[in-house]
Amino acid sequence: MSKQIDIKDLDIFYGDFRAVDGVQMQIKPRSVTAFIGPSGCGKSTVLRTLNRMHEVIPGASVSGEILMDGNNIYGPGVDPVNVRREVGMVFQRANPFPTMSIKENVLAGVRLNNKRMSRSEADELTERALRGANLWNEVKDRLNLPGSGLSGGQQQRLCIARAIAVEPEVLLMDEPCSALDPISTLAIEDLINDLKDKYTVVIVTHNMQQAARVSDKTAFFNIAGTGKPGKLIEFNETSSIFSNPEKEETENYISGRFG
Amino acid sequence: MPTSTQTTVSGPAGAPDPDSRPASGPAQTPKAVVRPGDRIFSAATLIAGILILLILAGVALFLLAQSKDTINAQISDPSSITGGHGFFAYVWPLVVGTLISSAIALLVATPFALGIALFTTHMAPRKLAPVLGYVIDLLAAIPSVVYGLWGIALAGNLTAFYLWLSKWFGWIPIFAPDADGSVSNTGRTLLTASLVLSIMILPIITSLTREIFLQTPRLQEEAALALGATRWEMIRMSVLPFGKSGIASATMLGLGRALGETMAVAMILSPGLLTASLVVSGNQTIASEIAQNFPEAAGLRLSELITVGLVLFVITLLVNMAARAIVAKTSVKGS
Ligand SMILES: Nc1ncnc2c1ncn2[C@@H]1O[C@H](COP(=O)(O)OP(=O)(O)OP(=O)(O)O)[C@@H](O)[C@H]1O
Ligand SMILES: [Mg+2]
């Protein structure tokens, strides 16, 4: 269960504003791809087109194609709900459902997919997902307490558990560690390493060491100026992006020189 | 572990150095600095709070004082009270009528109000939504006399429906026909009054819940959508749980209005004795009883009506307390 993603001529709009222009990219299954680049260059925007969450924003639209194992997710007759069931997402700020218990949070997505599930199946899945998210040991004694009672880092891992419980083909993460301490960050990075055995992972990060640590390939986006569209500048093996980038822009960004 | 009575809390700038003085008491927190703005603000809020309590107590005291004659009559000679069987025999049909009509109004209005609020916040096309919200708010501004007039017009058209109800559902006591096998031929029954009440409380519930639904955190909605929730599933997972306590208090405000509504019910309902059936004439609510009898009342009768008002006051108070308790229990903490 892991899909290849081909992005072809992707332009992304907010109303009339062209936020991202002409992205071409091929993301291999069972790999981790990192999106890096300055603030406002469109990393989140591109990420959110991969599970059709972009169009949730009023007036937002997309042109171009995104193929998942060859099927265009923007093709006619494709239901965005089905796309989102196959492409999980973890947000920058942890967003567990506050009224649900930890266990219900983990099962929330699965209950949407098929409502009938025996108690033991549910217990088993909860444990598997929480173990997968590296959270099981911390919460196994309080599965029935509200998810909002956890620490920030635990909540974020709960959201990861919730996303992987549905066994998606692809997992998208938008700066999942930006609000976390170094230890939780490390836990999540380890987790990403494990996840790529099963899933195609795409992660947005501002932390270049993190990109270098977790990803196989890195995409560098940049923006020419405010009001201009963001563009994909370079997409390559993470090692070559960080050791000898092809483009000068990339080199400037990763070495901390701008403009 | 060393035991120390010394305060180790170091306060903000200006707090005395804890090391330089002997600990004379167990809890020596430095006195906080209060700025004038804060002091004025807290005094103003305190005054406002006390004022509200005074007004409430004033109303209660007034009602109690005016009820004195009725209470005396009840003790010395119960048969002198309207109906001839004492105050409680007089008031309880009114209480029942009031509660039934308000409950029906609430039962009918709440689902519609929630539906409209959800539609305007999460379903309606972006251009239409504000227009709908505006129209709903306008409904709230219509005076109740107008609703009363409209209700009278409506009543005539409902008789056929009531006849049908009594024919097929007459076995349910609330839809039972009268002794002749017929229903009210004017349609001015408690059910009509309740339906008009439900329309009167619809706007307030709708506009309050709409505000609440608009405040659902975007992050929560996206959490559900990203899991592959349909719009309705997203509403169930994010919007409704988040708005639960707000929905409870909105319905309670609606209930408060239904309990106290006077004009429309007084105009629509042709009052009578308490009957279980809501499609025949009969029944009465407290507010309407007061409005219809107040103009000619004097002496003991006047005092009776005020005592009835006191009963309504107590009912409303109880309902509001119950509502607070519900809200406190169901409110969502965090995020
Ligand atoms: N909801 C929105 N409506 C309109 N414009 C938006 C919206 N969200 C983002 N944009 C614009 O799209 C462009 C790209 O934004 P995006 O959030 O994708 O940047 P980013 O690379 O994720 O930045 P950051 O690193 O700060 O998260 C920006 O110019 C931003 O102003
Ligand atoms: Mg972003």
Side-chain angles (χ1 to χ4, degrees):
Chain A
M1 331 156 280
S2 172
K3 284 193 173 173
Q4 169 166 323
I5 307 169
D6 290 282
I7 304 176
K8 294 187 174 163
D9 295 321
L10 185 70
D11 301 334
I12 313 172
F13 302 85
Y14 290 101
D16 294 333
F17 172 56
R18 180 185 287 257
V20 176
D21 192 44
V23 175
Q24 308 270 2
M25 200 187 288
Q26 184 178 73
I27 298 173
K28 292 259 179 279
R30 292 195 191 75
S31 70
V32 178
T33 302
F35 287 2
I36 61 169
S39 187
C41 68
K43 305 177 295 292
S44 303
T45 304
V46 173
L47 193 77
R48 289 166 57 95
T49 56
L50 298 180
N51 65 343
R52 296 193 63 168
M53 279 300 283
H54 176 65
E55 65 208 56
V56 166
I57 294 164
S61 63
V62 168
S63 85
E65 288 189 342
I66 295 178
L67 309 179
M68 298 250 169
D69 276 1
N71 301 316
N72 185 8
I73 61 169
Y74 284 94
V78 175
D79 183 354
V81 168
N82 290 336
V83 173
R84 293 178 200 138
R85 286 183 184 185
E86 296 199 334
V87 183
M89 183 159 198
V90 176
F91 295 79
Q92 178 171 359
R93 273 181 52 205
N95 54 0
F97 298 114
T99 46
M100 292 187 192
S101 70
I102 292 172
K103 187 173 164 188
E104 286 168 339
N105 259 291
V106 175
L107 297 175
V110 191
R111 295 233 197 272
L112 288 176
N113 285 295
N114 66 330
K115 313 255 188 273
R116 293 270 133 246
M117 194 197 288
S118 76
R119 233 195 119 80
S120 59
E121 274 176 311
D123 287 343
E124 202 179 309
L125 178 61
T126 308
E127 177 168 351
R128 184 147 34 93
L130 284 170
R131 278 194 195 282
N134 231 327
L135 187 61
W136 174 252
N137 287 328
E138 286 155 77
V139 300
K140 60 171 183 265
D141 302 319
R142 45 172 164 159
L143 292 176
N144 292 317
L145 297 184
S148 49
L150 298 174
S151 79
Q154 291 171 330
Q155 287 188 22
Q156 190 62 295
R157 278 178 283 152
L158 178 58
C159 292
I160 295 175
R162 181 176 70 187
I164 61 179
V166 292
E167 315 218 307
E169 311 278 351
V170 177
L171 190 62
L172 310 175
M173 302 175 137
D174 193 350
E175 300 184 42
C177 305
S178 64
L180 302 185
D181 69 300
I183 295 174
S184 305
T185 302
L186 213 63
I188 289 180
E189 286 180 8
D190 286 345
L191 179 59
I192 294 170
N193 252 319
D194 299 342
L195 291 176
K196 78 169 175 191
D197 297 341
K198 286 167 99 181
Y199 308 100
T200 307
V201 180
V202 183
I203 176 174
V204 172
T205 178
H206 271 290
N207 180 331
M208 282 185 268
Q209 285 83 29
Q210 181 170 63
R213 279 193 299 265
V214 301
S215 69
D216 303 308
K217 285 190 140 192
T218 297
F220 169 63
F221 292 84
N222 205 352
I223 185 170
T226 45
K228 299 258 171 50
K231 285 192 159 75
L232 174 62
I233 304 299
E234 190 169 349
F235 177 53
N236 215 332
E237 300 296 328
T238 298
S239 53
S240 57
I241 288 266
F242 285 101
S243 57
N244 61 16
E246 280 168 18
K247 301 268 169 60
E248 201 189 331
E249 255 178 280
T250 317
E251 161 116 55
N252 288 344
Y253 183 74
I254 59 172
S255 60
R257 288 193 301 274
F258 297 94
Chain B
M1 209 177 108
T3 49
S4 161
T5 54
Q6 204 174 321
T7 42
T8 49
V9 183
S10 62
D17 180 7
D19 293 331
S20 66
R21 67 187 150 79
S24 55
Q28 284 227 339
T29 14
K31 198 164 159 43
V33 180
V34 183
R35 294 187 179 259
D38 277 350
R39 195 167 289 157
I40 294 168
F41 180 71
S42 72
T45 49
L46 185 68
I47 290 170
I50 290 174
L51 211 61
I52 298 246
L53 284 179
L54 282 180
I55 292 172
L56 200 68
V59 171
L61 276 178
F62 166 80
L63 290 175
L64 263 176
Q66 299 286 315
S67 306
K68 206 181 69 201
D69 289 351
T70 314
I71 296 167
N72 287 339
Q74 170 72 9
I75 293 165
S76 61
D77 178 15
S79 64
S80 66
I81 287 179
T82 307
H85 298 286
F87 182 71
F88 293 105
Y90 166 58
V91 80
W92 86 264
L94 302 177
V95 171
V96 173
T98 305
L99 291 178
I100 288 180
S101 59
S102 305
I104 294 175
L106 203 62
L107 234 55
V108 173
T110 308
F112 278 104
L114 293 186
I116 297 170
L118 283 175
F119 181 74
T120 53
T121 53
H122 288 86
M123 302 279 193
R126 212 140 286 282
K127 294 244 163 58
L128 186 63
V131 180
L132 279 172
Y134 185 69
V135 169
I136 292 288
D137 287 348
L138 267 185
L139 273 181
I142 297 176
S144 51
V145 182
V146 177
Y147 279 105
L149 289 171
W150 175 72
I152 292 171
L154 179 77
N157 298 316
L158 282 173
T159 46
F161 171 61
Y162 290 164
L163 208 57
W164 178 86
L165 268 182
S166 71
K167 189 163 166 223
W168 295 101
F169 297 98
W171 49 274
I172 308 174
I174 57 170
F175 300 131
D178 59 16
D180 319 334
S182 172
V183 299
S184 159
N185 51 14
T186 55
R188 294 165 69 162
T189 69
L190 194 65
L191 190 54
T192 309
S194 310
L195 292 178
V196 172
L197 274 181
S198 74
I199 296 188
M200 296 180 70
I201 65 175
L202 187 69
I204 187 167
I205 304 180
T206 309
S207 75
L208 287 171
T209 46
R210 195 169 58 100
E211 291 305 313
I212 290 149
F213 291 157
L214 279 176
Q215 283 169 17
T216 315
R218 188 145 191 96
L219 213 59
Q220 288 297 320
E221 297 183 2
E222 292 199 341
L225 289 176
L227 280 178
T230 60
R231 218 187 298 216
W232 164 240
E233 287 165 336
M234 181 271 281
I235 286 170
R236 241 184 31 215
M237 288 169 90
S238 306
V239 179
L240 292 182
F242 183 81
K244 219 154 78 185
S245 68
I247 295 169
S249 44
T251 36
M252 287 308 144
L253 275 173
L255 180 59
R257 176 152 190 212
L259 284 172
E261 175 51 43
T262 312
M263 208 52 215
V265 180
M267 288 167 74
I268 296 164
L269 187 62
S270 64
L273 298 176
L274 182 70
T275 47
S277 174
L278 304 176
V279 293
V280 303
S281 17
N283 296 320
Q284 175 66 307
T285 71
I286 292 180
S288 157
E289 171 82 359
I290 297 174
Q292 285 174 338
N293 294 293
F294 203 76
E296 292 109 53
L300 179 60
R301 185 72 181 116
L302 186 63
S303 166
E304 271 173 28
L305 290 178
I306 291 175
T307 315
V308 172
L310 178 66
V311 172
L312 182 59
F313 182 80
V314 172
I315 292 177
T316 314
L317 219 59
L318 289 178
V319 164
N320 274 310
M321 276 158 63
R324 291 272 148 233
I326 294 172
V327 171
K329 243 201 191 125
T330 56
S331 63
V332 181
K333 289 178 199 74
S335 46

